[in-house]
């Protein structure tokens, strides 16, 4: 068993799309419309659409965060690095709890449909299914996702058939007094049905296991949400048009738990009811499967950050899956199967809304802290308005759901805080982006390089960067953080002693070589950059010196304020590497945003990172 090891990258765009879609299309579609109709009436489809549009604010924020930090734990990992370990622990606990509740909700729904066909004890069936899904995820994430792809595309085909058959049989009178429930009830219903879009959170939790996550995750999330939102709206709209007020009818004090199948009986006949019942079971299976997969990554991530006991982060050697985290998640889900349905829905929706609000806050904090190694390859459009809408929308939904939702939110936050206070705070001391933001506001230095260093390694892992000789030389390079030299000649005089000491040569020899090279032709290759490079005596010697001047160094009339100077010194036998180094610097400085990162770098390591993480060809 491997403690806190690395998870293998096996998932691609199709896997992401299937996992997200399969995680969303289940109980939220096949069971919840009957419950939601009681509050929103004929506008229940509109409530689903409003919830989906709000979900976009969280998805765009999560897509940006996932493209910058594709790590196991998803939203928890982002909160931990942006707001700190206390709120990170709270967020990790509540999202894990929400995903467990949503998966339990799916299993409860599956049982309701299976009992239409097979007379079997509901609790036994739900427990058996839970065990099967835990075992499937134990074997491996890729194996689980392949099952997911098949189920999702079959499910989409059946729903398309339902839409085609049902559209022509809608009764318009079922939509009279469309907004009779009032906007308060419609928004409250939108908050309640928000659990339907909770599957999107499951994707960022497995981000560490995705190939090319910076592209696959954002587009997988956006495409999945777009398609699913339209499916929800069309299916619920058609179902309302077919059934009217009977959609929300109660039998024996319980809500109608099979609304889509009942509507299929009207539009497609008995075979349609059986087909949609089958598709519902398929959807519940896909949601529970994806839910266990995603939820198990949260205890794993918390443990890896030492906020939960170490054994949660152990990875099985044979299957490369976090087996203890999976087992714990499965056992807890079994307990949740005995919770009342309405409580499951409201509790899951509440914590999911909170998590989407956290996503918006995270993006604001990460951007405004101006951490140099926060480099998302996908950026949320219309920043910060999308995030502001996300935060305000979350508060509106929570208040419209009702006071019970607020009390549950507070309870979840208290549980997460107690986990950190009683355990986590004794185990971990972590730097986070909010400190950098406070540092920027107060102009007081209160942070080091811990977060920047961690994000640098995340980027290397994300982009598949394998360090070459150039990287090692930059890591060892002497850095002048703010060289105060008026012109190129004072620069050469000032640094020759340091260069000579590192290379084992005389100071005068280095100064003469630099001056001679500058007389041959100016080494300032742009108004911003100069690369003086010299050939030194000896063998197998090469060194790089990095110099930043905030006010600028005068090289010539054409280049009066050079801010970046990279000095290269190597022996004749290093000629080929010398040329490669020049080419590497040329590629790096031409990349988008380099000059801004160089000038805003807060210390020597940040200057190194501006080069280490630059876009260039690598030689191995």
């Amino acid at each position: 068993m491997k403690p806190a090891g690395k998870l293998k990258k096996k998932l691609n765009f199709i896997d992401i799309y299937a996992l997200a879609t399969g995680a969303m299309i289940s109980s939220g579609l096949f069971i919840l419309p009957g419950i939601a109709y009681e509050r929103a009436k004929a506008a229940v489809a509109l409530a689903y659409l409003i919830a989906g549009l709000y979900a976009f604010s969280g998805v765009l924020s999560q897509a940006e965060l996932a493209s910058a930090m594709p790590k196991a734990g998803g939203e928890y990992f982002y909160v931990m690095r942006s707001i700190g370990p206390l709120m990170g622990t709270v967020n990790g606990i509540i999202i894990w709890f929400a995903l467990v509740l949503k998966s339990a909700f799916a299993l409860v729904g599956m049982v309701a449909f299976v009992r239409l066909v097979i007379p079997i004890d509901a609790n036994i069936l739900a427990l058996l299914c839970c065990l099967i899904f835990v075992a499937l995820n134990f074997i491996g994430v890729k194996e689980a996702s392949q099952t997911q792809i098949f189920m999702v595309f079959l499910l989409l085909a059946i729903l398309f058939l339902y839409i085609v058959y049902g559209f022509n049989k809608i009764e318009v009178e079922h939509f009279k007094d469309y907004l009779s429930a009032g906007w308060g009830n419609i928004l409250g219903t939108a908050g309640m049905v928000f659990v339907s879009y909770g599957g999107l959170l499951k994707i960022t939790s497995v981000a560490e296991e995705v190939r090319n996550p910076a592209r696959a995750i954002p587009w997988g999330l956006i495409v999945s949400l777009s398609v699913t939102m339209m499916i929800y709206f069309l299916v619920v709209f058609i179902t309302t048009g077919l059934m009217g007020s009977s959609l929300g009818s109660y039998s024996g004090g319980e809500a109608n738990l099979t609304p889509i199948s009942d509507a299929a009986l009207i539009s497609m006949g008995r075979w349609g009811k059986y087909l949609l019942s089958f598709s519902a079971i398929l959807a519940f299976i896909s949601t529970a499967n994806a839910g266990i997969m995603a939820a198990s990554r949260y205890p794993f991530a918390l443990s890896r950050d030492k906020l939960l006991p170490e054994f949660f982060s152990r990875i099985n050697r044979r299957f490369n899956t976090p087996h203890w985290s999976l087992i714990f998640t499965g056992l807890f889900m079994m307990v949740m199967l005995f919770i009342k349905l309405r409580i499951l829905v409201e509790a899951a929706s509440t914590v999911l809304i909170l998590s989407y609000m956290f996503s918006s806050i995270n993006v604001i904090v990460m951007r405004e802290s101006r951490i140099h190694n926060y480099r998302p390859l996908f950026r949320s459009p219309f920043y910060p308005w999308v995030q502001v809408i996300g935060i305000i929308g979350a508060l509106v939904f929570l208040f419209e759901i009702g006071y019970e939702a607020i009390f549950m939110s507070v309870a979840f936050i208290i549980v997460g805080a107690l986990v950190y206070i009683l355990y986590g705070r004794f185990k971990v001391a972590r730097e986070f982006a909010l400190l950098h933001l406070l540092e920027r506001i107060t102009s007081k230095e209160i942070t080091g390089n811990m977060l920047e260093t961690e994000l640098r390694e995340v980027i290397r892992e994300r982009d598949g960067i394998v360090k070459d000789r150039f990287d090692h030389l930059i890591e060892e390079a002497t850095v002048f953080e703010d060289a105060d030299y008026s012109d190129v000649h004072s620069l050469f005089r000032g640094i020759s002693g340091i260069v000579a000491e590192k290379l084992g040569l005389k100071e005068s020899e280095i100064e003469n070589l630099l001056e001679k090279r500058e007389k041959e032709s100016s080494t300032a290759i742009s108004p911003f950059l100069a690369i003086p490079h010299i050939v030194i005596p000896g063998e197998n010697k090469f060194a790089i010196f990095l110099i930043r001047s905030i006010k600028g160094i005068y090289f010539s009339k054409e280049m009066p304020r050079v801010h970046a100077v990279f000095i290269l010194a190597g022996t004749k036998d290093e000629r080929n590497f010398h040329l490669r180094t020049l080419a590497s610097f040329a590629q790096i400085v031409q990349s988008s945003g380099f000059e801004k990162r160089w000038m805003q770098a807060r210390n020597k390591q940040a200057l190194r990172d501006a080069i280490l993480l630059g876009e260039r060809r690598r030689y191995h």
Side-chain angles (χ1 to χ4, degrees), residues 314-331:
R314 292 179 185 172
I315 296 176
N316 185 272
R317 287 189 181 276
R318 181 178 177 183
F319 300 113
N320 209 70
T321 50
H323 54 287
W324 285 115
S325 184
L326 272 167
I327 292 169
F328 177 72
T329 298
L331 290 173

Side-chain angles (χ1 to χ4, degrees), residues 125-141:
L125 177 61
L127 291 172
L128 284 175
C129 288
C130 188
L131 288 172
I132 291 171
F133 296 141
V134 169
L136 182 60
N137 279 276
F138 192 95
I139 293 172
V141 64

Side-chain angles (χ1 to χ4, degrees), residues 56-70:
F56 263 106
S57 67
V59 162
L60 292 174
S61 295
Q62 290 206 24
E64 174 173 324
L65 294 164
S67 75
M69 299 174 282

Side-chain angles (χ1 to χ4, degrees), residues 145-214:
S145 70
Q146 287 174 341
T147 305
Q148 192 83 353
I149 291 171
F150 169 76
M151 290 190 293
V152 164
F153 282 97
L154 180 58
L155 173 62
L156 292 177
I158 295 172
L159 289 174
F160 178 77
L161 194 64
Y162 173 81
I163 291 170
V164 170
Y165 269 84
F167 196 78
N168 293 325
K169 296 186 178 181
I170 290 175
E171 295 185 26
V172 179
E173 59 268 23
H174 289 158
F175 294 104
K176 65 181 180 181
D177 299 326
Y178 189 68
L179 300 177
S180 61
W183 281 106
N185 281 323
I186 292 172
L187 289 175
T189 304
M192 184 179 73
V193 302
F194 191 75
V195 67
S196 306
Y197 298 100
L200 294 167
L201 286 178
K202 300 177 182 181
I203 301 310
T204 55
S205 70
V206 296
E208 195 171 330
E209 297 158 84
V210 179
R211 295 194 299 267
N212 191 14

